[in-house]
Amino acid sequence: MKRILVANAKGGCGKTTLATQIASHFAAQGQRVLLADYDPQRSASDWLQNRPAGCAPLTIHPAWQAPLPKEPYDVLVGDMPAAIAPQAVWQVLKAGDKLLVPILPSPSDIKASLRFLMALNLADLAKGGIEVGLVANRVRGNTEYARRLHELLEKMRLPLVASIRDTQNYVRAMDHGVSIFDLPAYRVRNDLAQWHALLAWLDPSYNPAPQAIQA
Ligand SMILES: Nc1ncnc2c1ncn2[C@@H]1O[C@H](COP(=O)(O)OP(=O)(O)OP(=O)(O)O)[C@@H](O)[C@H]1O
Ligand SMILES: [Mg+2]
């Protein structure tokens, strides 16, 4: 089973947005997806409750209160809560996992995210066979803070696997139980294009549809 965890102790940086988009992407590919909601705020569970009947099905599990089910799944996507202690993240991580860390390009978000990554210990993550990818989220053009974030990531030698723009498409998707992968491509063309590198990082066999490449 492919395991992808989305975590950052900083609140509101886009963990649930990324986790629901990723879960929905794999579900749309016909994979059996378990979305593990580790957050007692239950934002991912709320999202799934609003999912329209015609969308690719996926399973949610309240991982904050119960151990993961034993049934086989192809993909597990974990949505971690804010203010989480490094030990709690380590309890969930397993060798072979991909850990995605969304970061907003603002000074306080960059500092808090850096502290989170330092507390997790990048050397231990590498030793534990856990790959870390960072996602710049809610990016608005070439701001000073977007530039600072890029500089920081280069220094830390961590891959920036996506740079996702700030758009109401994600806010609306969260509200309606869908993802950009469930919407007509012409409406989210710019957004789909920003996901190719991330999806290829998660799954080296990822092969976007020809119309998606042209986006
Ligand atoms: N790229 C984006 N463009 C516009 N709005 C976004 C984007 N990403 C996230 N948001 C919005 O920002 C808010 C916080 O996002 P989200 O809930 O995904 O963050 P979170 O890290 O899961 O928060 P928490 O720490 O509370 O769990 C939500 O209202 C979401 O719709
Ligand atoms: Mg959340």
Side-chain angles (χ1 to χ4, degrees):
M1 177 171 69
K2 184 189 292 302
R3 286 173 42 105
I4 301 154
L5 292 180
V6 187
N8 188 342
K10 187 78 174 84
C13 58
K15 296 178 287 294
T16 305
T17 302
L18 284 194
T20 52
Q21 295 289 317
I22 292 166
S24 202
H25 159 74
F26 283 110
Q29 304 234 312
Q31 309 232 23
R32 293 168 301 174
V33 177
L34 181 67
L35 178 54
D37 189 356
Y38 284 94
D39 189 348
Q41 285 189 104
R42 308 180 201 196
S43 307
S45 307
D46 288 344
W47 168 80
L48 194 67
Q49 273 213 329
N50 293 335
R51 194 157 173 80
C55 289
L58 51 93
T59 304
I60 190 100
H61 179 75
W64 57 277
Q65 63 173 15
L68 293 178
K70 297 261 185 286
E71 296 98 287
Y73 287 92
D74 301 312
V75 184
L76 175 136
V77 183
D79 180 25
M80 307 297 281
I84 192 167
Q87 302 89 301
V89 182
W90 271 107
Q91 273 173 12
V92 172
L93 285 169
K94 286 193 175 157
D97 282 1
K98 304 240 179 181
L99 176 64
L100 270 177
V101 181
I103 304 183
L104 300 187
S106 84
S108 63
D109 278 84
I110 294 171
K111 274 189 210 132
S113 306
L114 186 57
R115 241 178 270 129
F116 172 69
L117 286 163
M118 292 303 176
L120 277 183
N121 193 328
L122 293 175
D124 282 354
L125 287 168
K127 260 189 251 155
I130 294 141
E131 268 187 85
V132 183
L134 305 188
V135 175
N137 188 27
R138 306 193 70 167
V139 176
R140 295 184 188 181
N142 285 327
T143 62
E144 162 67 15
Y145 296 125
R147 192 184 56 73
R148 243 196 247 179
L149 177 60
H150 279 87
E151 273 177 14
L152 172 82
L153 300 181
E154 260 169 41
K155 244 186 249 163
M156 294 177 75
R157 301 208 181 144
L158 284 171
L160 181 67
V161 291
S163 205
I164 292 177
R165 69 178 182 141
D166 188 291
T167 163
Q168 288 297 299
N169 286 345
Y170 293 110
V171 181
R172 277 195 292 268
M174 279 294 287
D175 196 25
H176 292 105
V178 297
S179 73
I180 57 169
F181 306 104
D182 299 306
L183 298 173
Y186 73 89
R187 277 179 48 195
V188 288
R189 192 155 280 141
N190 293 338
D191 301 310
L192 289 171
Q194 295 187 324
W195 278 79
H196 293 324
L198 195 166
L199 296 175
W201 184 79
L202 291 177
D203 177 9
S205 68
Y206 169 69
N207 194 6
Q211 68 269 29
I213 296 172
Q214 285 160 17

